[in-house]
Amino acid sequence: MQTEQARKKVLVIGVIGADVHAVGNKILYHAFTEAGFDVVNLGVMVSQEEYISAAIESDADAIVVSSLYGQGELDCRGMREKCDEAGLLGIPLVVGGNIVVGKQKFEDVEKRFHAMGFDRAFPPGTPPETTIDALRELLHMDAAAGSEAAAV
């Protein structure tokens, strides 16, 4: 059991669809790695199926999807269902970047992504630390330490 507790949380990251924006992906890779995650970086132009296969192979704890070319909403449709069908029932899905076309209220965008089964959605310009904090919350990383401290 101790090896399971000591195991780093595994993230599968990449840039979905026909998007070739690599800089943000590299920044996230380094930020997540420095924050203590084991990161499987699929790079750019990643299909939903590639995220899912990598998550199964790596026994991932979460999938982080980036998109900057504005088509993220289209590229992400059906991903929760495909994850569930592949046996990744309930795996945290996080998305961020310029994920929709045009200027839209992000609260509305966020609601649509939540309705598609994403646990968190982040607007363009979100600092990596914000995403790291959300991942730690989703993966119950801080909560476990906090509950032990509270029990003492």
Side-chain angles (χ1 to χ4, degrees):
M1 273 311 246
Q2 286 183 331
T3 56
E4 179 63 27
Q5 290 175 351
R7 181 180 83 88
K8 287 183 178 183
K9 297 292 185 180
V10 178
L11 306 177
V12 171
I13 72 169
V15 183
I16 199 164
D19 198 336
V20 296
H21 292 91
V23 175
N25 182 55
K26 289 178 183 174
I27 291 169
L28 288 176
Y29 171 79
H30 290 294
F32 293 156
T33 301
E34 287 177 23
F37 292 98
D38 187 4
V39 183
V40 177
N41 188 353
L42 301 176
V44 299
M45 298 180 69
V46 181
S47 70
Q48 290 185 13
E49 292 76 16
E50 288 172 301
Y51 281 105
I52 291 166
S53 293
I56 291 168
E57 280 182 36
S58 65
D59 193 22
D61 296 290
I63 296 173
V64 181
V65 177
S66 296
S67 181
L68 285 174
Y69 75 143
Q71 300 299 320
E73 186 172 7
L74 293 173
D75 293 335
C76 289
R77 283 195 184 137
M79 189 162 181
R80 170 59 67 197
E81 292 79 8
K82 287 181 184 172
C83 285
D84 291 351
E85 289 170 10
L88 298 172
L89 194 65
I91 189 169
L93 295 177
V94 176
V95 64
N98 187 22
I99 54 179
V100 294
V101 175
K103 290 196 178 260
Q104 300 180 35
K105 285 176 46 178
F106 195 76
E107 298 79 33
D108 296 337
V109 173
E110 188 174 32
K111 285 178 188 171
R112 290 199 306 273
F113 274 87
H114 283 211
M116 290 192 309
F118 280 78
D119 297 279
R120 297 285 193 286
F122 297 104
T126 299
E129 297 78 20
T130 302
T131 308
I132 290 165
D133 289 345
L135 286 163
R136 286 182 174 147
E137 179 186 322
L138 285 168
L139 299 174
H140 309 288
M141 294 169 71
D142 294 335
S147 64
E148 288 174 11
V152 174

